[in-house]
Amino acid sequence: MTTSSANSIATHRHDRLRQWLLSTAPRSRRQARLGRAYIAWLTFIENRLAMIGLGIIIVLVAAAALAPIIAPYAPNAPNLAERLMPMSSAHWLGTDELGRDILSRIIHGSRLTLYVIVLVAIIAAPVGLLIGTVAGYIGGWLDVVLMRVTDIFLAFPKLILALAFVSALGPGIENAIIAIAITAWPPYARIARAETITIRKADFIKAARLQGAGPIRLIWGHVMPLCLSSLIVRVTLDMAGIILTAAGLGFLGLGAQPPLPEWGAMISSGRKFMLDQWWVAAMPGVAIFVVSLGFNLLGDGLRDVLDPKAEGR
Amino acid sequence: MGQDSGTSPQGSRVWHYGRKLSALAATVALTFIGLLFVTFLIGRVVPIDPVLAAVGDRAPAEVYERVRIELGLHLPLYQQFLVYIGKVLQGDLGQSVLTANAVTTDIARVFPATLELATAATLFGIVLGIPMGVLAAVHQGRWPDQLLRVVGLFGYSVPVFWLGLMGLLLFYGRLDWAPGPGRLDVFYEGLLDPVTGVILIDSALAGEWDIFRNALAHITLPAAILGYFSLAYISRMTRSFMLEQLNQEYITTARVKGVSERAVVWRHALGNVRIPLVTVIALSYGNLLEGSVLTETVFAWPGLGFYLTQSLLSADMNAVLGGTIVVGAVFIGINLLSDALYRLMDPRAR
């Protein structure tokens, strides 16, 4: 009796909040913003695949944050008595050639994966956004030059270019990140430019300009925020590609160096034992696949919510 | 066409094409110079002193100085870049430290293997991908469409080198259906004089059908793995092109006229999809050249990708940059070709 009445009060309050959020006549800017975010969220959670993607990403972030707590063993502690053990209750995913627990290494490796994608996104997305908005807003010869450079970078095969950069900078996870970021920004510049050109002549931009706003203020305060949603979609969809490239560099021995538990490098070292101890190479690959899949699913869902114009990639 | 088409349609058309062609040529030249600029910069950034690499660190100062001038390193950077462009245009990509051959010779030797693999993979993608895309568009929302979605998601998420390793494990290690890595069994190696360098063609020309069968068995697994990615891309694009066509009025007209559904789909609609598909196939071919770097490493396939990674690991910069230039140039060339084909085949794009 008491629980049901408490429940109904909670439901009632929930309904009030819902009505406030979904109101068609918001009374404050905050209410309008929150309401819009709530509607986007409602569309998003209807998409079951996107929710699965979000779940995978949350698990990845949690694994990275809590790695020392949840990993059953230390990632780099060799135990030569237990080399290449198959899957068992002691080692859920078996052990590698130095007797290290593969599950623990995969959990710790999630930190490296997250490190790579976050840094690439932090470097490449703002660069692309800046180049694209400036080229699109200023126009003229600056636009021609910047877009020519962008096209030249777009015309290169990405992985090969990253390989060449890493070979010059030397192997290592930081250099792999730089190399991937150098090859990742051009599509962002293209998207930002396209968005900028469509809104450049809009009335609200003219109004702001008449009020005396300079180009820096206009680009920063009025143009860039409107480019963000399509950029976020594209970056999320690119995350999977970034993970795959980083893993590929690791596999070739050009990314993270041993004993770091990078997933691509783990596959590479497990290759030697593949025919007999298949799990050493197979398990990190499953991790790469699941995380890339998560970003692809999430990106598809975000696109439906934030950027409904862009169907198909 | 221009406004002066009334006076001399023939002349204006030639002029129109000429202008478009020269604009295209300028774009390509600029992109290629950009590519060379990047490889040149990378070559300059490398912390290896090319003079020391040539003379060794015990050489006296005057020898060092002489070699430095011989290599042109005393010139200002922009002159070095011009010299570099001139050399590349003459086909001189320097010498490989690893094989002691000219890089151009090495690449000419390994390139046919990559070409063979990428072509086989693209064929795999076309033969399976187009029918799958058509079926998915016809049965939109039902199981062929869902299957296509899964194929696509898997293709965008799976690392190609891992898929290759798992393919080897399953089909070579466990089931013993596929032969191991490499282009031929050791037994057949060196029996064939390279004519084109493409073993499937060479063996057929020589009438060596044993070798042909062996080479075919060896290429099947890597081509299927690599081709999976082009399958995912081609089928996806076929689906969206087909959907666009099937909603057009001429399709309704054909149906109303009583044309059979099969002819409507496979002849009328697919016929119009042909042109954009050429572009898609060309693009996927270019991407496969890139994907072959990792696949070749997994399958010990002695092509350009394998050569590149071997050189990378031994810090053989001339070979790495030479390989980068060749792959980049082929990539640019393929993009250009697909653009030209599109213009040639579609009268609306002229």
Side-chain angles (χ1 to χ4, degrees):
Chain A
M1 181 70 194
T2 39
T3 41
S4 78
S5 71
N7 255 345
S8 76
I9 290 171
T11 323
H12 185 63
R13 199 176 287 156
H14 182 193
D15 281 346
R16 284 253 307 270
L17 177 64
R18 206 181 138 84
Q19 267 167 19
W20 183 78
L21 283 170
L22 294 178
S23 159
T24 46
R27 245 170 280 146
S28 69
R29 205 185 266 197
R30 193 167 54 111
Q31 187 183 355
R33 276 194 191 147
L34 287 174
R36 227 180 39 210
Y38 182 64
I39 291 170
W41 172 247
L42 286 183
T43 330
F44 183 78
I45 56 176
E46 264 175 36
N47 188 338
R48 216 174 338 137
L49 287 175
M51 288 304 282
I52 295 176
L54 184 64
I56 293 174
I57 311 302
I58 291 174
V59 170
L60 173 78
V61 174
L66 306 173
I69 301 170
I70 53 175
Y73 299 86
N76 291 324
N79 180 359
L80 293 179
E82 298 195 331
R83 294 178 69 233
L84 298 169
M85 299 280 275
M87 286 168 271
S88 65
S89 56
H91 299 282
W92 287 3
L93 300 181
T95 62
D96 68 3
E97 73 276 18
L98 295 174
R100 299 173 293 193
D101 181 54
I102 293 178
L103 177 65
S104 304
R105 284 177 69 72
I106 288 179
I107 292 175
H108 279 271
S110 64
R111 295 185 153 189
L112 294 173
T113 302
L114 214 57
Y115 181 61
V116 170
I117 51 181
V118 167
L119 274 182
V120 169
I122 287 180
I123 299 170
V127 169
L129 183 63
L130 186 69
I131 291 179
T133 46
V134 167
Y137 184 78
I138 310 265
W141 64 267
L142 191 67
D143 182 30
V144 174
V145 171
L146 286 178
M147 280 305 114
R148 194 44 60 211
V149 173
T150 308
D151 281 348
I152 287 174
F153 270 88
L154 268 181
F156 292 163
K158 271 187 169 183
L159 180 69
I160 306 279
L161 196 61
L163 281 180
F165 275 114
V166 174
S167 69
L169 301 168
I173 192 161
E174 281 80 14
N175 290 341
I177 290 170
I178 295 173
I180 297 173
I182 288 175
T183 59
W185 64 269
Y188 308 145
R190 275 262 160 226
I191 290 171
R193 176 176 177 270
E195 292 272 336
T196 306
I197 283 181
T198 56
I199 54 179
R200 179 175 60 178
K201 298 258 163 68
D203 284 343
F204 73 93
I205 298 280
K206 280 183 194 146
R209 197 181 300 141
L210 284 178
Q211 287 174 346
I216 295 174
R217 191 193 181 88
L218 278 170
I219 291 176
W220 178 259
H222 297 272
V223 176
M224 276 190 184
L226 288 175
C227 298
L228 276 183
S229 61
S230 46
L231 202 68
I232 288 172
V233 171
R234 181 62 200 240
V235 169
T236 313
L237 285 170
D238 276 359
M239 292 282 180
I242 292 168
I243 292 172
L244 294 182
T245 311
L249 289 175
F251 177 73
L252 293 174
L254 298 167
Q257 298 295 304
L260 280 181
E262 198 272 327
W263 295 342
M266 285 169 72
I267 297 178
S268 172
S269 69
R271 215 180 137 182
K272 285 172 253 154
F273 324 100
M274 202 186 58
L275 290 183
D276 297 311
Q277 286 90 18
W278 55 270
W279 55 89
V280 184
M283 291 309 164
V286 174
I288 298 174
F289 169 67
V290 170
V291 172
S292 309
L293 186 69
F295 277 110
N296 275 326
L297 293 175
L298 180 70
D300 278 341
L302 280 182
R303 181 179 54 208
D304 295 344
V305 174
L306 293 177
D307 197 11
K309 291 164 292 180
E311 266 300 317
R313 249 176 274 173
Chain B
M1 247 179 259
Q3 302 97 316
D4 55 343
S5 58
T7 50
S8 159
Q10 215 59 38
S12 96
R13 188 182 291 169
V14 169
W15 206 79
H16 182 77
Y17 281 145
R19 207 172 51 177
K20 282 220 159 157
L21 266 182
S22 53
L24 207 62
T27 310
V28 171
L30 210 60
T31 313
F32 189 67
I33 289 175
L35 172 70
L36 292 185
F37 185 64
V38 171
T39 52
F40 175 73
L41 275 187
I42 293 175
R44 295 282 96 203
V45 168
V46 181
I48 306 166
D49 184 347
V51 184
L52 273 188
V55 300
D57 49 4
R58 295 231 197 120
E62 59 263 33
V63 177
Y64 181 94
E65 202 46 40
R66 205 188 66 224
V67 174
R68 203 169 88 94
I69 292 172
E70 267 174 25
L71 291 175
L73 295 172
H74 62 294
L75 297 171
L77 268 184
Y78 77 94
Q79 281 187 20
Q80 286 187 34
F81 182 51
L82 290 180
V83 171
Y84 178 74
I85 292 184
K87 275 190 174 174
V88 171
L89 288 182
Q90 288 166 28
D92 177 7
L93 297 172
Q95 207 177 26
S96 159
V97 179
L98 193 64
T99 63
N101 291 332
V103 171
T104 325
T105 321
D106 276 349
I107 289 180
R109 184 170 46 82
V110 296
F111 197 64
T114 299
L115 204 65
E116 188 176 24
L117 183 61
T119 308
T122 305
L123 284 179
F124 179 88
I126 294 173
V127 168
L128 286 179
I130 293 181
M132 273 179 68
V134 171
L135 285 180
V138 172
H139 304 284
Q140 193 190 358
R142 293 210 295 281
W143 71 263
D145 201 17
Q146 304 295 347
L147 178 73
L148 194 84
R149 210 185 137 93
V150 172
V151 165
L153 268 175
F154 188 76
Y156 281 116
S157 309
V158 75
V160 55
F161 54 94
W162 181 77
L163 198 62
L165 285 175
M166 292 303 113
L168 270 180
L169 173 68
L170 183 64
F171 294 110
Y172 169 61
R174 293 283 183 272
L175 298 171
D176 207 18
W177 289 355
R183 289 175 90 186
L184 283 174
D185 284 352
V186 182
F187 174 73
Y188 291 111
E189 213 128 324
L191 288 182
L192 203 66
D193 289 330
V195 183
T196 58
V198 179
I199 291 186
L200 285 175
I201 295 179
D202 283 354
S203 58
L205 284 180
E208 299 275 5
W209 297 106
D210 282 351
I211 299 184
F212 182 82
R213 266 194 299 276
N214 190 257
L216 195 64
H218 270 271
I219 204 173
T220 305
L221 186 59
I225 300 273
L226 191 56
Y228 180 82
F229 295 88
S230 102
L231 165 98
Y233 181 53
I234 291 177
S235 61
R236 225 182 105 95
M237 298 311 282
T238 308
R239 173 185 175 273
S240 67
F241 293 149
M242 281 296 285
L243 280 181
E244 198 182 306
Q245 292 296 326
L246 288 174
N247 285 328
Q248 305 255 333
E249 283 181 357
Y250 76 91
I251 293 290
T252 319
T253 312
R255 280 181 181 146
V256 170
K257 277 194 335 191
V259 178
S260 74
E261 191 59 25
R262 224 173 70 196
V264 166
V265 170
W266 294 95
R267 195 163 334 129
H268 288 68
L270 190 62
N272 279 337
V273 162
R274 212 177 48 217
I275 295 164
L277 265 187
V278 168
T279 318
V280 165
I281 290 168
L283 284 178
S284 93
Y285 195 76
N287 286 329
L288 285 194
L289 282 180
E290 191 183 18
S292 66
V293 172
L294 289 163
T295 316
E296 285 178 6
T297 310
V298 169
F299 285 93
W301 192 265
L304 189 55
F306 194 60
Y307 178 72
L308 254 176
T309 48
Q310 294 296 311
S311 320
L312 269 172
L313 295 176
S314 45
D316 188 350
M317 279 318 284
N318 281 341
V320 172
L321 296 179
T324 309
I325 291 175
V326 170
V327 176
V330 172
F331 201 77
I332 296 169
I334 285 177
N335 282 345
L336 172 73
L337 193 72
S338 76
D339 202 41
L341 274 178
Y342 185 82
R343 280 168 203 281
L344 205 70
M345 287 169 69
D346 189 348
R348 286 167 305 178
R350 276 176 203 159

